[in-house]
Amino acid sequence: MGIDLSVIWAVIIVFGVMMYVIMDGFDLGIGILFPFVPDKGERDVMMNTVAPVWDGNETWLVMGGAGLFAAFPLAYSVVLSALYLPLMFMLLGLVFRGVAFEFRFKARDHKRHIWDKAFIGGSVAATFFQGVALGAFIEGIPVEGRAFAGGSLDWLAPFPLFSGLGLIAAYALLGCTWLIMKTEGRLQQQMHGMARPLALLLLAVIGIVSLWTPLSQASIAERWFSLPNLFWFLPVPLLVLATFFYLLRSVANHDNSKPFVLTLVLIFLGYSGLGISLWPNIVPGSLTIWQAAAPPQSQGFALVGALFIIPFILVYTAWSYYVFRGKVTPDQGYH
């Protein structure tokens, strides 16, 4: 039996996107939480918790997109044609956010509020349109022959828009629990107070999405509730409920790092549920990974480069987080 390069590439892309969601999620979450923390010094601390690592986090987004282009060019052309506008809006949000991140620390006091607003707006816009793109992807993308067969505004639908709002709640909880782990004093106490309502909001979002998806898509309902698939999927909602219980308890106990770790587990469980629902489709409702795959020679050539560079990215990421571990205090700064 030969090596299935399409499966290997699917795993690499799924891993890259998951790493981006986890690592850039709390980064974007800090921008979403900015309006609730008006104090300048505390905002400086919030930004300094991610200042050394924020740009490296987005490496995983680039890798996921490049991997999709190299290994599944047909899926790349269909997905980008369908989601061109929300993805462009997402990138514009990331640009505004990145510029604001640097300029805020260099601005004079009377102009800093401009960059604060750009940071908030960029973070919210990038998160919202990521969620919109995800929701539109889950709903399915029509394909005729080898081309996208829908309209440029198909993503303007209730489920994708709700997914955008839901992702804002998820990233806000990630950012909140990250700040619990990385800060101390009044700011940490404020985040402890916000974590419980954000967790309950995210639980409500997960519940609504879990009901909405099978009710609106018969193919996903059949996959979830048919045997033996039900036995594969059943542990996911049970683990989600258990994780939420321990998350709320760790917040009530004013734990330091447990809330962040448990929130990461929640994000992973949601991601795994998505994978179970869609596998092996790379364009839901239209194309499997094998139908959209590049020639084996192209996949093999690109795989050599990917397997060379991924260990470097992992080592760099782990080293940067290790070097800048621990609490961030008001007297510390990375700008």
Side-chain angles (χ1 to χ4, degrees):
M1 181 180 293
I3 298 174
D4 193 332
L5 294 176
S6 294
V7 172
I8 294 173
W9 265 111
V11 171
I12 291 174
I13 293 170
V14 166
F15 174 74
V17 173
M18 183 188 72
M19 290 294 289
Y20 171 76
V21 169
I22 288 174
M23 302 182 74
D24 210 38
F26 64 81
D27 188 352
L28 289 165
I30 288 174
I32 295 168
L33 294 172
F34 238 50
F36 304 98
V37 183
D39 182 78
K40 173 193 174 296
E42 291 179 345
R43 285 185 170 186
D44 289 345
V45 172
M46 291 169 70
M47 296 188 80
N48 279 325
T49 63
V50 293
V53 296
W54 73 273
D55 46 354
N57 293 341
E58 294 172 0
T59 303
W60 297 103
L61 181 63
V62 176
M63 194 192 79
L68 186 66
F69 175 75
F72 305 104
L74 178 56
Y76 181 88
S77 66
V78 168
V79 171
L80 262 70
S81 297
L83 304 177
Y84 184 83
L85 286 175
L87 292 177
M88 284 298 297
F89 293 147
M90 179 197 77
L91 291 175
L92 283 173
L94 291 175
V95 168
F96 268 93
R97 188 177 174 281
V99 172
F101 203 108
E102 298 298 333
F103 275 66
R104 180 183 179 276
F105 285 97
K106 298 175 176 63
R108 296 183 179 180
D109 290 343
H110 67 284
K111 290 186 177 180
R112 185 173 288 110
H113 70 95
I114 298 173
W115 300 110
D116 282 349
K117 291 180 176 64
F119 184 67
I120 295 166
S123 299
V124 172
T127 303
F128 177 72
F129 285 107
Q130 278 181 33
V132 168
L134 175 62
F137 179 79
I138 293 171
E139 276 208 317
I141 299 174
V143 175
E144 286 185 7
R146 297 176 62 85
F148 169 57
S152 59
L153 297 178
D154 286 357
W155 53 274
L156 275 176
F159 183 75
L161 295 176
F162 179 80
S163 298
L165 296 175
L167 195 62
I168 289 175
Y171 282 3
L173 180 60
L174 265 177
C176 180
T177 53
W178 168 262
L179 291 172
I180 288 173
M181 184 175 67
K182 294 290 290 183
T183 64
E184 55 191 12
R186 188 178 69 175
L187 178 59
Q188 186 189 48
Q189 293 304 313
Q190 183 179 356
M191 292 301 113
H192 268 297
M194 295 180 66
R196 179 181 174 83
L198 285 173
L200 293 174
L201 177 61
L202 181 57
L203 179 60
V205 167
I206 292 174
I208 293 170
V209 170
S210 299
L211 290 173
W212 195 334
T213 306
L215 288 174
S216 62
Q217 299 187 55
S219 59
I220 290 182
E222 182 180 357
R223 173 169 291 199
W224 283 12
F225 302 117
S226 62
L227 296 177
N229 293 347
L230 181 62
F231 297 112
W232 287 99
F233 188 76
L234 188 59
V236 175
L238 296 178
L239 288 170
V240 166
L241 291 174
T243 305
F244 262 108
F245 172 77
Y246 285 110
L247 173 59
L248 293 176
R249 193 167 76 171
S250 68
V251 170
N253 292 337
H254 290 268
D255 290 331
N256 187 57
S257 58
K258 282 184 182 179
F260 181 68
V261 173
L262 290 168
T263 305
L264 291 181
V265 172
L266 277 178
I267 300 297
F268 173 77
L269 288 172
Y271 199 72
S272 64
L274 175 64
I276 293 171
S277 301
L278 299 181
W279 178 264
N281 297 316
I282 196 167
V283 180
S286 301
L287 296 171
T288 66
I289 59 172
W290 299 284
Q291 292 172 326
Q297 296 87 344
S298 299
Q299 287 186 332
F301 179 79
L303 183 62
V304 173
L307 295 180
F308 175 77
I309 198 65
I310 289 174
F312 286 97
I313 300 175
L314 288 171
V315 170
Y316 158 79
T317 301
W319 179 249
S320 62
Y321 277 88
Y322 175 77
V323 168
F324 295 100
R325 66 193 182 279
K327 297 285 187 181
V328 175
T329 57
D331 59 326
Q332 289 177 310
Y334 299 113
H335 279 75

